[in-house]
Amino acid sequence: MYVRSIYATGDPAELDGVAEALRTEGRELLSAQPGFRGMGLFVDRELGKLLVGSWWEDEASRQASYENLGKRRAEMMAPFARTMTVDNWEAAVARRTEDLGPGAGFRLVRMDVQTSDIDLLVDTFRDTALPGLQKVAGLSGISLLIDRDRGRAAVGALYTDRDALVASRGAVAAVRGETAAKAGMTTSSLEEFEVLLATAVPHA
């Protein structure tokens, strides 16, 4: 599967209105596009951050949807977004079994890795990190996204509630360190968000 992420920052006072539009109309627009497989919508109300992830069965569907919805997406984001970054990813690993909504938590870790070590990272994550992470209480879904051309990766983890997200920090940090040592990756950012919407996606 393939993923598009949109990361926007802006005035926290303008965040809720745009997030609600994306949760309702935005989800409907995406769902009508061929190849659509799921959506995640995450916010940091205190700092004014918005993250939208959409899942696609192939690269062609992802690209076509981006072009088809470009005008309306810009209109919907305009009241809030003062900066916006769009990234494209390949979903190397995806485990999510249920839909989640408000009250759930989301952690995003971005990583840099040598392009020659991307496959090593994928194998290490699947064989070493994933079994340990799936034992963490409250984990509801996790994915490893990769950008082979630019030597980047991201891990997104969903938790059933905020308490579970907070309680997981120590155990997950240990797994992150072990993975970094084995796969030669470095962490470039670590962020946590509130979940507004996270739909189940097929395993990858």
Side-chain angles (χ1 to χ4, degrees):
M1 285 184 296
Y2 297 84
V3 177
R4 177 171 61 250
S5 63
I6 300 175
Y7 183 82
T9 67
D11 184 349
E14 303 292 340
L15 176 56
D16 280 343
V18 171
E20 180 61 17
L22 293 169
R23 189 186 67 83
T24 54
E25 180 187 352
R27 183 182 184 182
E28 291 179 2
L29 290 170
L30 287 171
S31 298
Q33 299 297 304
F36 176 73
R37 288 295 176 265
M39 174 183 178
L41 177 60
F42 315 103
V43 298
D44 180 334
R45 289 188 170 92
E46 182 177 0
L47 295 181
K49 296 188 292 185
L50 173 70
L51 176 65
V52 185
S54 56
W55 295 70
W56 305 90
E57 66 181 18
D58 52 51
E59 290 183 274
S61 297
R62 181 180 62 190
Q63 181 60 30
S65 70
Y66 185 75
E67 296 170 357
N68 293 341
L69 301 177
K71 182 175 184 293
R72 183 57 186 141
R73 178 175 54 250
E75 293 171 348
M76 295 174 72
M77 297 290 285
F80 166 73
R82 296 296 174 266
T83 70
M84 188 165 66
T85 302
V86 180
D87 288 307
N88 291 311
W89 308 90
E90 175 189 346
V93 178
R95 300 288 187 273
R96 191 184 307 170
T97 57
E98 60 182 323
D99 289 359
L100 294 174
F106 179 70
R107 180 181 297 116
L108 177 67
V109 180
R110 295 184 181 89
M111 300 166 288
D112 296 318
V113 60
Q114 294 293 327
T115 55
S116 58
D117 288 336
I118 289 281
D119 288 332
L120 173 62
L121 173 61
V122 173
D123 291 342
T124 302
F125 184 84
R126 182 181 289 117
D127 298 338
T128 302
L130 189 60
L133 292 170
Q134 289 181 312
K135 296 176 183 177
V136 175
L139 183 75
S140 181
I142 192 163
S143 59
L144 169 65
L145 310 181
I146 58 173
D147 181 342
R148 293 181 180 275
D149 294 334
R150 300 173 68 183
R152 302 183 307 157
V155 173
L158 289 157
Y159 292 84
T160 53
D161 53 56
R162 174 71 183 175
D163 289 344
L165 175 70
V166 171
S168 72
R169 289 171 182 163
V172 172
V175 174
R176 188 184 310 128
E178 182 182 6
T179 304
K182 290 184 176 181
M185 64 82 172
T186 58
T187 298
S188 57
S189 70
L190 169 62
E191 297 179 273
E192 293 181 345
F193 297 84
E194 175 189 346
V195 177
L196 295 186
L197 173 69
T199 60
V201 297
H203 282 191

